[in-house]
Amino acid sequence: MTDHRVNSYRFTGSIIRRVLETWVKQAPSAPIPWTPLPKPLNRCTVALLSSGGIALKSDRPFDQEGERRNPWWGDPSYRIIPSTACEQEIEVYHLHINPDFARRDLNCLLPIQRLAELQAAGEVGAVAPSHYSIMGYLPQPDEMLARSVPAIIQQLKDERVDVLLLVPS
């Protein structure tokens, strides 16, 4: 069996690494459900999930004030981003990243145009009509796992999405 471990800390400093490792060790261990792709990628519908706290300007923003009041909390909700979205329509509501990059090029947090290029080149079958964004800073993910994740999964099923790519911020 292939070892699928990821070094999640390689870009963090030693103090942050120790804090994060302590948090991770407190979480119950669960197997990672590695699942082989049932059909070729060029026949799959693909959606994106960004942890960059992106929302349409016309949508409800992620709650940054809640995090400012309690730095051990992160907004557990999610936002739907249409595959037609562009930089002028989005805003970044994430206290831990510089939003200027995404304002100039949305592809750095949600590579919608790159995915469309892969579809045009025949590398992926179709781009899903909806993409998703969550807050990447969630020290307490229970509510997100109980509410947001099942809702996202249901919409992915409704839109017949085969592959969901995580775009970490």
Side-chain angles (χ1 to χ4, degrees):
M1 182 171 178
T2 304
D3 184 2
H4 292 288
R5 280 185 275 181
V6 174
N7 181 356
S8 301
Y9 314 109
R10 71 179 184 183
F11 299 112
T12 64
S14 63
I15 293 173
I16 293 173
R17 178 186 182 127
R18 287 194 298 265
V19 168
L20 293 174
E21 286 176 330
T22 301
W23 276 350
V24 168
K25 287 177 185 172
Q26 292 174 2
S29 181
I32 298 172
W34 295 102
T35 305
L37 198 55
K39 59 185 173 182
L41 189 57
N42 64 3
R43 291 188 14 231
C44 291
T45 298
V46 180
L48 302 171
L49 172 66
S50 172
S51 61
I54 302 167
L56 293 173
K57 289 179 180 177
S58 60
D59 202 348
R60 179 174 50 102
F62 283 92
D63 185 355
Q64 294 175 302
E65 290 308 311
E67 185 181 334
R68 285 186 180 101
R69 287 189 305 276
N70 177 4
W72 298 105
W73 179 86
D75 188 334
S77 62
Y78 72 100
R79 303 294 177 277
I80 298 172
I81 310 293
S83 62
T84 57
C86 63
E87 290 86 356
Q88 295 78 20
E89 298 171 298
I90 63 100
E91 187 55 72
V92 179
Y93 301 98
H94 200 305
L95 296 177
H96 302 273
I97 61 174
N98 182 344
D100 293 337
F101 299 111
R103 289 178 185 140
R104 287 194 302 268
D105 183 3
L106 179 56
N107 290 288
C108 70
L109 286 181
L110 192 70
I112 291 175
Q113 292 169 325
R114 302 296 81 83
L115 185 57
E117 290 167 3
L118 289 171
Q119 178 187 10
E123 298 291 327
V124 300
V127 174
S130 303
H131 302 296
Y132 306 87
S133 183
I134 59 172
M135 182 61 62
Y137 178 77
L138 283 168
Q140 300 168 6
D142 295 346
E143 186 177 342
M144 181 198 64
L145 294 171
R147 294 186 182 170
S148 296
V149 169
I152 291 170
I153 290 170
Q154 185 58 56
Q155 185 156 347
L156 291 166
K157 288 179 179 180
D158 292 347
E159 293 182 355
R160 299 183 186 270
V161 173
D162 302 297
V163 176
L164 179 66
L165 296 175
L166 174 61
V167 183
S169 56

